[in-house]
Amino acid sequence: MNLRGLLLVSLVFTALMTAGSRGQDAADKPFPVPEGAPLIENTRGLISRIAFGSCGNQNKSQPILKHVIEQKPDVFCYLGDNIYGDSRTLAVLRAKYLKLAEKSEFQALRSAMPLIATWDDHDYGENDSGKEYVLREESKRMFLEFFREPEGTQRRKRPGIYTSYVFAGNERRVQIIVLDTRSFRDQLAKNPRFGGEKSWKNDYHPDPNPEKTLLGKAQWEWLEAEFKQPADVRVIASSIQFAHEYNGYESWTNLPGEQAKLLDVLRRTKANGVVFISGDVHWGELSILNRDGLYPLYDVTSSGLTETWPSIEPNRNRFGDAVRENNFGLIEIDWEPMDPALSLQLIDIKGTIRVKKVVKLSELQAK
């Protein structure tokens, strides 16, 4: 090994040792929570304003959270990559959660409203990983601690982090269904990185293998049962996109059999009022998926709170323009009319509404 190689190894070793040392210092430190911060399980009654976002790097300032608070949502849903953990060292992962917990912007958000959350790959622990990630159970415990999951819940007892919430009042019900797209997912079909025939773009291509799963058997059974519960509006929180056109990055389109299965479950259960919210891609967009036997399925992708991407993929399912800048999503439900209306919005770092689509609840009824 030459001198340059030795120097590089030395620098990497020093960086890893420093990160490990910092992580060890945080290993037993509890996550700070502002006094009086509301808990989701204490949220009562019907809700009408649901804010959401994804892809927030704990090392960066997060001024967009100020604009979230200004909207006065009833809840905020984190859709994954809530930190950029990417470590098989739990102390390092915890130190990164701790850095987010101590940020003044996050503390202000946590003080203002209850939080709901799922994870994506970077807070799960490893880029693009699924069920093969070796620390998924340890990462789950840390995730649930950070987001203040009560002891003894089904979410703590069963594998994965999928869960749901119901908010009811005035004979109306909102159901928020939180999916886990990591803990049970089989490996995706990768495109060749160098050489070889590459007929598909970017990282992955659709895999028709019917044996591969995204949600896993138990979560699929649970989800079908959730769709049979009464609700006027059902918000499905998926860390990865559902209704967009294939773009070669992680999404439901990489396992088309699983995407088709969800559509079939919706047809079979006749679940009304379904709207998807998603993250991951580092830009914002509203996609509309039209399929036979179903009402239009809207997918509001909000990404990222701190992250952006140099290019935006084409999407023939897109409504309006994509949002390159940091953004968050908002679903505002007007319960006053006989036919309630959902306003699906994307709001940028300046607090400007960049995308808005109003959908009547009557338009989201099973055929």
Side-chain angles (χ1 to χ4, degrees):
M1 183 180 293
N2 59 26
L3 181 60
R4 185 177 180 182
L6 287 170
L7 179 59
L8 179 60
V9 170
S10 176
L11 289 172
V12 171
F13 178 77
T14 301
L16 290 172
M17 291 298 293
T18 302
S21 175
R22 289 173 182 168
Q24 193 60 47
D25 292 341
D28 299 318
K29 188 175 181 180
F31 301 126
V33 178
E35 185 176 355
L39 289 164
I40 189 63
E41 63 267 23
N42 295 334
T43 304
R44 297 287 183 259
L46 189 64
I47 62 175
S48 60
R49 298 175 69 81
I50 304 164
F52 50 94
S54 68
C55 305
N57 192 312
Q58 71 282 351
N59 294 321
K60 299 180 181 180
S61 62
Q62 301 188 4
I64 198 167
L65 297 184
K66 173 178 176 289
H67 294 298
V68 174
I69 295 169
E70 289 172 350
Q71 291 293 327
K72 298 182 179 179
D74 298 301
V75 299
F76 183 84
C77 185
Y78 272 98
L79 292 169
D81 295 342
N82 310 314
I83 61 166
Y84 282 72
D86 298 291
S87 177
R88 291 194 174 193
T89 302
L90 292 175
V92 172
L93 193 62
R94 187 177 187 88
K96 294 180 178 183
Y97 270 118
L98 187 61
K99 191 162 189 177
L100 175 60
E102 292 174 340
K103 296 184 80 69
S104 60
E105 307 100 304
F106 178 77
Q107 290 202 348
L109 182 77
R110 175 164 264 180
S111 295
M113 68 202 70
L115 305 181
I116 291 172
T118 189
W119 57 20
D120 201 36
D121 52 341
H122 296 294
D123 43 349
Y124 183 55
E126 195 165 77
N127 183 53
D128 286 8
S129 56
K131 67 182 183 182
E132 73 279 3
Y133 178 55
V134 296
L135 294 179
R136 62 183 181 274
E137 287 302 317
E138 294 86 347
S139 181
K140 170 186 173 176
R141 287 193 290 271
M142 196 177 302
F143 173 94
L144 295 181
E145 178 190 352
F146 182 84
F147 285 106
R148 306 167 73 198
E149 182 74 17
E151 296 295 333
T153 65
Q154 285 299 310
R155 201 182 197 190
R156 285 192 179 273
K157 294 176 182 178
R158 64 192 173 205
I161 61 166
Y162 58 91
T163 191
S164 68
Y165 307 89
V166 173
F167 309 92
N170 300 323
E171 299 183 342
R172 295 288 191 180
R173 292 168 66 90
V174 173
Q175 181 187 41
I176 299 180
I177 298 172
V178 179
L179 300 181
D180 181 347
T181 64
R182 293 291 162 186
S183 299
F184 313 99
R185 197 209 71 193
D186 288 313
Q187 290 191 350
L188 303 179
K190 292 184 178 181
N191 288 322
R193 189 170 183 182
F194 302 106
E197 183 179 353
K198 189 172 182 179
S199 57
W200 301 94
K201 63 180 177 180
N202 295 324
D203 299 330
Y204 303 102
H205 63 83
D207 189 338
N209 185 345
E211 300 300 318
K212 286 195 173 183
T213 187
L214 178 61
L215 301 184
K217 184 176 184 293
Q219 186 174 187
W220 270 117
E221 292 175 350
W222 167 86
L223 180 58
E224 182 160 353
E226 289 295 313
F227 284 152
K228 294 177 182 178
Q229 300 299 316
D232 298 283
V233 175
R234 305 174 200 269
V235 177
I236 302 180
S238 169
S239 71
I240 54 174
Q241 292 183 291
F242 182 83
H244 71 127
E245 182 184 19
Y246 158 83
N247 63 28
Y249 296 123
E250 287 190 294
S251 84
W252 284 76
T253 61
N254 292 317
L255 291 171
E258 292 288 88
Q259 187 183 43
K261 184 175 181 177
L262 201 157
L263 298 176
D264 288 341
V265 172
L266 287 174
R267 292 187 188 97
R268 187 167 60 251
T269 60
K270 297 188 179 298
N272 293 325
V274 167
V275 174
F276 288 83
I277 58 177
S278 59
D280 178 57
V281 290
H282 295 191
W283 67 80
E285 63 183 347
L286 171 58
S287 302
I288 308 172
L289 185 66
N290 291 292
R291 289 292 184 268
D292 291 342
L294 287 168
Y295 51 84
L297 294 174
Y298 295 87
D299 181 0
V300 190
T301 301
S302 176
S303 177
L305 296 171
T306 66
E307 304 307 289
T308 58
W309 199 249
S311 62
I312 294 177
E313 292 294 323
N315 177 11
R316 285 176 293 184
N317 298 344
R318 183 183 297 141
F319 171 85
D321 296 325
V323 181
R324 289 180 177 274
E325 298 81 9
N326 296 144
N327 62 85
F328 67 95
L330 181 69
I331 298 177
E332 186 176 8
I333 309 170
D334 183 359
W335 295 108
E336 290 299 320
M338 289 291 292
D339 187 2
L342 284 71
S343 178
L344 312 177
Q345 304 175 29
L346 285 169
I347 302 172
D348 69 16
I349 186 66
K350 296 180 180 179
T352 303
I353 298 174
R354 297 285 297 277
V355 178
K356 183 175 180 178
K357 172 70 173 174
V358 177
V359 183
K360 297 289 187 180
L361 194 56
S362 60
E363 300 173 39
L364 303 178
Q365 302 302 301
K367 297 181 179 181

